[in-house]
Amino acid sequence: MDTVRGANQVACLRFLADTDDAQTVGVISAGTGLSRPTVHAVLDDLVGAGLVEPTEPSTAGPGRPARAFRFAREAGLVAGVDLGPRGVRAIICDLSGRRVAYTELRQEPTTELIQHAVHLAADESGLDLERLRAVGVALPGVVEPNGYLRASLALPGLVGLQTADVVGQDLGKPVAVDNDIKLAALAEQRLGAGRGYSDVVYLQIGQRLSVSIVLNGVIRQGRHRLAGELGAQRGMRWTRNAQRGQLIWASHPTGEEVLTAAAQGDADAQAEIEDFCAQIAGRIATVLLTVDPEVVVVRGGLAQDSGVLLRPLVAAVENELVFPERPPFVASALGREAVVLGAVGNAFDRFGSDIYGVKDYPGPWHRISTASIP
């Protein structure tokens, strides 16, 4: 009975969450397939939980005015934070997944900066953090399930810290911590360029070259949380001029500048990209033959990849493969937003019962995708 009741609560709440207007019991009944008495009972529970609010009944037409109900999306907040070597980005969403606050800071990365970013985002948008229900955090490095940062070349000062506990104690809410690239891959699979695919390989090329894998819609972590950590192989260098995982470019200072110059017709930059792709193609081909994904999502640092990276990369990988079958290579749809969107989405997934008080309520990924971050 409890299982059926919980499923009915999910059905009614999802129906209301996906609409912008209040709905009558009749409309909810028709939309969910539940009987009107069942809908009445479920709505009473949801109103009592503060997730649904009754609205003024419509007076149009003869007869008794119909009662209407709306999803109280503003009743709770969920935050996502992306902490990296150059600073922090934080997003806050309401219970529907829509963005209601955002901030970005260029400061020395510390655990305190995570809490500060959440507070700042809330203050700038006039939000009451008493409504905060959960937080997701993204960190570069190997992150244990309990939020312990075991290793990180990018944030060595945070290695060994129980990040989830530290942040959770300050904010007083449950905190989910995971690797930044893995969360970016999850976001691309759920709402970006990998949407509609279950098995996705995510390749990010920037200051470093990183790989993450989503299988059956779930981040592939591995027994020791090392899935995708190709740079952890002793002596492995993605390219000849890589130094401790850091990509060093010759024609221009950064990878983004190299790609931009190549797109503008710079012959030296184009040649460097082709050479770079030839060097990494063998490793990428090995991943593809191991995983056999449906799609490869590539983030190369440009807002729009016109093929300046994808074309030489696809050609180089094809040269490494015997079989003609290969997944399509597509440009990232979320770009630099992927990590912070993955962080907040992960919090919704991990703590759905705490956030909504309804068992098995799904994360609102489709709403998160509408958040336009500057």
Side-chain angles (χ1 to χ4, degrees):
M1 184 64 67
D2 287 342
T3 301
V4 173
R5 186 174 183 176
N8 292 340
Q9 290 177 340
V10 170
C12 289
L13 192 57
R14 286 196 69 180
F15 182 83
L16 288 174
D18 286 339
T19 63
D20 293 323
D21 301 318
Q23 302 294 336
T24 65
V25 170
V27 171
I28 299 171
S29 175
T32 61
L34 301 175
S35 69
R36 292 174 69 97
T38 297
V39 171
H40 274 294
V42 169
L43 290 175
D44 286 341
D45 291 339
L46 296 177
V47 169
L51 293 170
V52 169
E53 290 181 344
T55 64
E56 291 296 324
S58 171
T59 58
R64 182 180 179 182
R67 295 177 69 199
F69 299 83
R70 62 176 290 272
F71 177 44
R73 57 175 55 90
E74 69 283 350
L77 302 170
V78 178
V81 182
D82 169 20
L83 182 69
R86 288 171 296 280
V88 68
R89 307 172 71 220
I91 183 175
I92 300 178
C93 297
D94 64 19
L95 293 183
S96 72
R98 295 179 179 178
R99 187 192 83 169
V100 292
Y102 171 82
T103 196
E104 182 172 357
L105 296 170
R106 293 280 182 169
Q107 291 185 19
E108 187 70 21
T110 63
T111 54
E112 292 77 16
L113 190 58
I114 298 173
Q115 298 95 289
H116 177 60
V118 174
H119 282 282
L120 182 61
D123 290 343
E124 290 176 344
S125 298
L127 300 176
D128 181 5
L129 278 185
E130 289 297 319
R131 294 186 284 140
L132 186 66
R133 301 193 178 187
V135 181
V137 176
L139 299 176
V142 181
V143 182
E144 296 288 354
N146 62 1
Y148 172 81
L149 185 61
R150 192 171 84 231
S152 176
L153 290 176
L155 296 179
L158 272 62
V159 172
L161 295 179
Q162 294 281 1
T163 307
D165 290 345
V166 173
V167 177
Q169 288 172 6
D170 178 79
L171 295 175
K173 303 299 175 183
V175 178
V177 183
D178 212 326
N179 172 268
D180 57 349
I181 304 302
K182 290 177 179 177
L183 291 176
L186 183 65
E188 288 285 358
Q189 186 270 331
R190 295 288 180 86
L191 53 94
R195 188 171 186 175
Y197 297 99
S198 296
D199 300 339
V200 176
V201 166
Y202 177 78
L203 174 65
Q204 179 169 299
I205 300 170
Q207 299 293 328
R208 302 175 184 275
L209 200 154
S210 305
V211 175
S212 187
I213 302 165
V214 174
L215 294 179
N216 296 320
V218 178
I219 299 171
R220 177 58 186 167
Q221 298 283 8
R223 173 63 180 84
H224 302 96
R225 314 284 288 190
L226 294 175
E229 295 285 348
L230 301 187
Q233 181 179 344
R234 192 179 300 279
M236 199 283 276
R237 298 172 66 184
W238 280 104
T239 62
R240 290 183 295 271
N241 55 348
Q243 298 178 8
R244 290 183 58 80
Q246 192 84 7
L247 297 176
I248 307 300
W249 302 92
S251 61
H252 297 275
T254 68
E256 183 175 354
E257 290 174 284
V258 174
L259 290 168
T260 300
Q264 295 172 349
D266 186 316
D268 291 337
Q270 291 172 346
E272 183 170 21
I273 290 173
E274 290 183 7
D275 180 58
F276 170 81
C277 290
Q279 291 184 63
I280 69 172
R283 296 283 182 178
I284 302 303
T286 298
V287 173
L288 299 188
L289 292 174
T290 302
V291 178
D292 193 18
E294 297 172 278
V295 66
V296 179
V297 177
V298 182
R299 183 192 167 202
L302 292 181
Q304 296 292 331
D305 190 315
S306 59
V308 65
L309 173 63
L310 289 182
R311 279 197 295 267
L313 180 60
V314 169
V317 171
E318 284 182 341
N319 287 335
E320 298 287 335
L321 299 173
V322 173
F323 296 107
E325 295 83 6
R326 62 165 179 80
F329 283 60
V330 299
S332 161
L334 304 178
R336 65 194 294 265
E337 291 86 11
V339 176
V340 74
L341 294 177
V344 73
N346 188 45
F348 275 110
D349 283 351
R350 287 274 298 275
F351 303 120
S353 296
D354 296 314
I355 293 169
Y356 298 101
V358 175
K359 186 178 180 182
D360 297 327
Y361 190 83
W365 284 96
H366 61 298
R367 289 291 188 183
I368 296 173
S369 67
T370 65
S372 58
I373 300 175

